[in-house]
Amino acid sequence: MEEADGAAPREGQAIRAQITGVEQFEGRPLLKVETTSGATVSKTELIEVSDSGVICYARSSGKEAPAKLDTPETIVSAPLKVGATWETDAVVADVGLHQHFTVEAEENVYVPAGKFRAFRCESRESTLVSVAVTRWFTPGVGVVKEVITTRGPGGTLLQRRTLELQKQPELLPTPTPT
């Protein structure tokens, strides 16, 4: 996915998230997802896609080795259906949040990679700032679009980031336990 709206780390620099391989972590094979801006890795996540959903077990900033999350973060819970809910702890826009997600709808979404039938999952949380996350998730593809909006105490827009799938991903074979 690449950033389509909002401030990139450097003006005009796209943000790209891609699966770069499979890594063993605590005895389980996890997909390694690297987020880059230009040639610089800004985030690495180790995730699992299973019958429970998409779960992140470890994360790092920059080129550090991913560190285990105290509580694995549920990015998308399964099975997906309109009305389904889940809770997770996450860091969004540099703010630690306890998020409550709801699958609001199943709808068509258009991104540079094409048209997808996706589940729209939303979370709106407020602490000192208000953070709204909307993800469109297509089974078999992943998150095809994500919008994160951060507002200050008075409702002033602080940041809006939109990530959109730019091209169909090259799928890796499903990791098999060793």
Side-chain angles (χ1 to χ4, degrees):
M1 290 195 315
E2 293 184 15
E3 188 168 19
D5 183 31
R10 285 183 273 162
E11 188 155 338
Q13 189 97 84
I15 294 175
R16 182 178 306 266
Q18 63 185 15
I19 297 170
T20 58
V22 176
E23 190 169 302
Q24 288 291 324
F25 186 79
E26 296 190 338
R28 66 172 41 164
L30 299 176
L31 296 173
K32 182 177 182 180
V33 178
E34 289 183 332
T35 301
T36 58
S37 176
T40 305
V41 175
S42 60
K43 178 172 65 172
T44 301
E45 296 175 296
L46 298 179
I47 65 169
E48 176 180 65
V49 179
S50 70
D51 291 341
S52 299
V54 180
I55 314 294
C56 180
Y57 287 91
R59 178 178 291 128
S60 69
S61 298
K63 293 187 178 186
E64 304 167 5
K68 180 179 180 178
L69 298 177
D70 291 336
T71 303
E73 179 184 329
T74 302
I75 297 169
V76 176
S77 185
L80 277 175
K81 62 182 180 182
V82 175
T85 64
W86 71 91
E87 297 192 19
T88 192
D89 292 315
V91 175
V92 178
D94 297 324
V95 177
L97 293 175
H98 180 78
Q99 294 178 288
H100 177 84
F101 275 93
T102 301
V103 179
E104 296 290 339
E106 184 177 3
E107 61 195 20
N108 292 327
V109 62
Y110 298 86
V111 296
K115 173 183 167 185
F116 293 88
R117 188 74 179 163
F119 290 95
R120 179 171 36 90
C121 310
E122 295 188 11
S123 171
R124 297 192 184 327
E125 307 300 332
S126 294
T127 56
L128 294 175
V129 296
S130 169
V131 179
V133 178
T134 304
R135 290 184 182 132
W136 286 264
F137 182 86
T138 298
V141 177
V143 177
V144 296
K145 183 173 181 178
E146 180 177 73
V147 178
I148 301 172
T149 306
T150 309
R151 296 188 179 277
T156 304
L157 179 64
L158 299 176
Q159 181 183 46
R160 176 174 291 128
R161 244 183 30 181
T162 300
L163 300 172
E164 295 181 324
L165 186 65
Q166 299 296 304
K167 65 179 184 174
Q168 284 280 355
E170 293 178 27
L171 299 177
L172 294 174
T174 303
T176 54
T178 54

